[in-house]
């Protein structure tokens, strides 16, 4: 068993975001994990929540979320399966009890855009020096700065360098291509050089993910489903199916190879041409 190291500075880290696309079916969740592994992803990502701690009983989505909810034991089994498939297991906590469960059982934690200013939740993972990936949807430049200053005051410069990753994200489902503003990736990378910068995509297709890598994204998170017509649940339409995930992973690896290093040198295959001119 060889789980890919979380080291985005050496290799673009690709996350297949299963989220709730299993719709509470444990066998579907297992199929999604195996399919993500075949596609070449580095990690799968779920959402962990206790519905009663997350939304009110009279909330329109309560019934659906309750159906989607997995037990902690099921998550542990999914983690074991993911690791056996050479995948990192990541999840997003949506309530405090789930956060404490993940704190004990996951090395990498993803904080959703809806909680990127929920410092009490974030602090749970700072205390344990977890790898923390935070989406920056609905944030402006000052909001990002405030978040980083909060983490810096708590943990210092080394934590920012070694344990924090920020993902540019547009919190719209699906996000229109004209709203993606992928240059935000370069903005974040230029302003926070010691922090891993990536991209969490909610658009249709995967062109934006490829372009994000070309702009410097070192982490790519993309929703993943067995079929775009699996059900009427919103996320299936903006997800990649298994064939598209295979294609995206291959193209990201090609772009990554083509980008090379931040330098200007004579390439090996050019040296013969020097002597011929």
């Amino acid at each position: 068993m060889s789980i890919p190291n979380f080291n985005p500075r050496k290799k673009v880290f690709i996350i297949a975001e299963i989220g709730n696309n299993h719709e509470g079916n444990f066998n579907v969740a297992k199929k999604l994990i195996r399919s993500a592994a075949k596609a070449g992803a580095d990690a799968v990502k779920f959402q962990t929540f206790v519905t009663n701690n997350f939304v009110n009983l009279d909330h329109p989505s309560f019934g659906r979320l309750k159906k989607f909810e997995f037990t902690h034991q099921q998550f542990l089994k999914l983690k074991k399966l993911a690791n056996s498939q050479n995948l990192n297991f990541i999840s997003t906590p949506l309530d405090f009890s789930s956060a404490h469960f993940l704190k004990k059982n996951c090395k990498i934690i993803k904080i959703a855009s809806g909680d990127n200013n929920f410092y009490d939740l974030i602090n749970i993972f700072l205390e344990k020096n977890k790898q923390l990936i935070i989406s920056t949807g609905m944030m402006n430049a000052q909001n990002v700065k405030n978040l980083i200053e909060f983490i810096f005051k708590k943990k210092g410069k080394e934590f920012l360098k070694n344990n924090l990753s920020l993902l540019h994200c547009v919190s719209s489902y699906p996000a229109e291509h004209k709203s993606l503003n992928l240059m935000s990736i370069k903005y974040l990378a230029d302003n926070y050089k010691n922090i891993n910068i990536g991209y969490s995509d909610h658009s249709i297709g995967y062109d934006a993910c490829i372009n994000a890598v070309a702009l410097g994204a070192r982490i790519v998170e993309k929703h993943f489903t067995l079929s775009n017509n699996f059900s009427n649940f919103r996320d299936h339409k903006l997800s990649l199916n298994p064939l598209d995930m295979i294609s995206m992973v291959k193209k990201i690896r090609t772009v990554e190879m083509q980008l090379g290093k931040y330098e200007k040198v004579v390439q090996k295959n050019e040296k013969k041409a020097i002597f011929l001119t």
Side-chain angles (χ1 to χ4, degrees):
M1 182 173 68
S2 178
I3 303 170
N5 289 328
F6 182 72
N7 192 348
R9 289 186 175 91
K10 287 190 175 181
K11 175 187 174 184
V12 174
F13 192 80
I14 301 173
I15 303 171
E17 182 177 357
I18 293 170
N20 288 315
N21 279 345
H22 51 75
E23 298 195 28
N25 187 315
F26 191 65
N27 287 325
V28 169
K30 291 192 289 185
K31 286 180 182 178
L32 282 160
I33 289 172
R34 293 190 179 101
S35 187
K38 289 179 181 177
D42 296 302
V44 288
K45 201 218 80 173
F46 287 81
Q47 289 185 352
T48 304
F49 56 88
V50 178
T51 311
N52 295 66
N53 298 340
F54 178 43
V55 295
N56 293 326
L57 283 167
D58 58 354
H59 194 281
S61 65
F62 183 89
R64 171 173 271 180
L65 286 170
K66 193 68 178 176
K67 176 188 171 185
F68 290 176
E69 184 181 319
F70 281 150
T71 67
H72 289 176
Q73 286 303 311
Q74 286 176 310
F75 275 118
L76 291 176
K77 289 178 180 178
L78 292 173
K79 178 189 175 185
K80 184 176 180 180
L81 174 62
N83 291 165
S84 75
Q85 297 289 306
N86 303 330
L87 291 168
N88 287 271
F89 183 87
I90 305 172
S91 196
T92 294
L94 298 179
D95 60 85
F96 281 122
S97 62
S98 298
H100 286 290
F101 166 72
L102 293 177
K103 178 179 69 173
K104 296 176 182 177
N105 293 288
C106 285
K107 293 182 179 179
I108 309 172
I109 303 296
K110 168 70 190 302
I111 300 296
S113 291
D115 288 326
N116 56 31
N117 62 353
F118 191 3
Y119 293 164
D120 287 345
L121 178 70
I122 292 169
N123 197 50
I124 290 172
F125 303 107
L126 297 182
E127 292 172 354
K128 292 294 182 179
N129 291 320
K130 295 294 181 180
Q131 288 289 343
L132 205 54
I133 303 174
I134 303 179
S135 276
T136 61
M138 299 177 286
M139 280 185 143
N140 60 28
Q142 186 60 50
N143 299 146
V144 174
K145 185 178 179 182
N146 293 344
L147 170 65
I148 292 174
E149 287 179 351
F150 167 77
I151 296 174
F152 174 76
K153 288 177 182 177
K154 287 279 185 178
K155 301 300 296 184
K157 186 177 180 180
E158 287 304 304
F159 185 94
L160 297 182
K161 180 180 178 181
N162 298 318
N163 294 76
L164 179 64
S165 302
L166 298 179
L167 306 185
H168 170 56
C169 177
V170 175
S171 298
S172 178
Y173 304 85
E176 295 182 11
H177 287 277
K178 64 183 180 181
S179 74
L180 296 181
N181 204 57
L182 294 178
M183 286 298 288
S184 292
I185 296 166
K186 188 163 174 27
Y187 173 86
L188 291 171
D190 287 344
N191 281 275
Y192 303 105
K193 297 183 184 299
N194 290 327
I195 298 175
N196 290 318
I197 303 299
Y199 176 59
S200 179
D201 185 51
H202 295 145
S203 68
I204 301 295
Y206 57 75
D207 286 353
C209 296
I210 308 302
N211 293 331
V213 173
L215 283 167
R218 304 304 302 167
I219 301 169
V220 170
E221 180 183 63
K222 181 66 182 180
H223 284 261
F224 184 54
T225 183
L226 293 178
S227 169
N228 297 109
N229 297 313
F230 190 87
S231 77
N232 64 357
F233 176 49
R234 175 198 68 186
D235 286 6
H236 294 296
K237 295 298 182 184
L238 55 86
S239 300
L240 297 185
N241 60 47
L243 289 178
D244 285 339
M245 180 62 77
I246 289 171
S247 181
M248 185 192 78
V249 171
K250 286 181 178 178
K251 290 184 178 182
I252 285 177
R253 297 302 174 214
T254 298
V255 170
E256 189 174 19
M257 174 184 64
Q258 291 172 341
L259 286 173
K261 299 178 181 179
Y262 190 76
E263 61 183 12
K264 177 57 180 170
V265 299
V266 176
Q267 299 298 311
K268 287 182 179 179
N269 56 356
E270 289 184 294
K271 290 181 179 178
K272 289 182 181 179
I274 292 175
F275 295 107
L276 294 174
T277 57

